[in-house]
Amino acid sequence: EVQLQASGGGLVQAGGSLRLSCKASGFTSDDYAIGWYRQAPGKEREGVSCFTSTDNNTYYDEAVKGRFTISSDNAKNTVYLQMNNLKPEDTAVYYCAARRGRCSYTRGFDAWGQGTLVTVSS
């Protein structure tokens, strides 16, 4: 069974940076995708970024494009989300999720981590 552990959240001032990590275990294939979601208080969960392993393709929501960067370290079975120039509206619980094949927020993800809280103060 695939298990994911998100970490790296914390409290940061607006304009600051954080790097989130998603540590994965239990993969039996190199054909997978890791996506990041976030959910702010009182708001719906939204897709943030995603990485497809087969071709290293990446996706970014327009709200974070140019500020966030997703990357992977296969040797460590870890996907990272580097978040720069953080804004108060980025405050949310961030979740990583996995699915077989390619990134697809439409089709959804199967395995989920517990989430890590990011708080951006003004």
Side-chain angles (χ1 to χ4, degrees), residues 9 17 19-20 25 30 36 38 40 47 64 67 82-83 85 88 93 98 109:
S17 299
R19 188 179 74 164
L20 306 183
S25 62
D30 60 358
W36 288 94
R38 67 184 181 185
V64 306
R67 299 188 296 119
Q82 179 67 45
M83 306 185 296
N85 192 24
V93 176
F109 293 79

Side-chain angles (χ1 to χ4, degrees), residues 6 20 35-50 59-65 67-68 81-97 105 109 112-120:
L20 306 183
W36 288 94
Y37 285 87
R38 67 184 181 185
Q39 187 166 23
K43 297 183 179 180
E44 296 292 324
R45 187 176 62 189
E46 63 178 350
V48 177
S49 184
C50 193
Y59 163 84
Y60 299 96
D61 183 77
E62 288 294 328
V64 306
K65 190 175 297 182
R67 299 188 296 119
F68 291 10
L81 185 67
Q82 179 67 45
M83 306 185 296
N84 297 327
N85 192 24
L86 284 161
K87 304 175 180 180
E89 52 263 43
D90 295 318
T91 295
V93 176
Y94 285 72
Y95 302 89
C96 62
Y105 282 109
F109 293 79
W112 292 80
Q114 290 295 314
T116 184
L117 176 63
V118 172
T119 303
V120 184

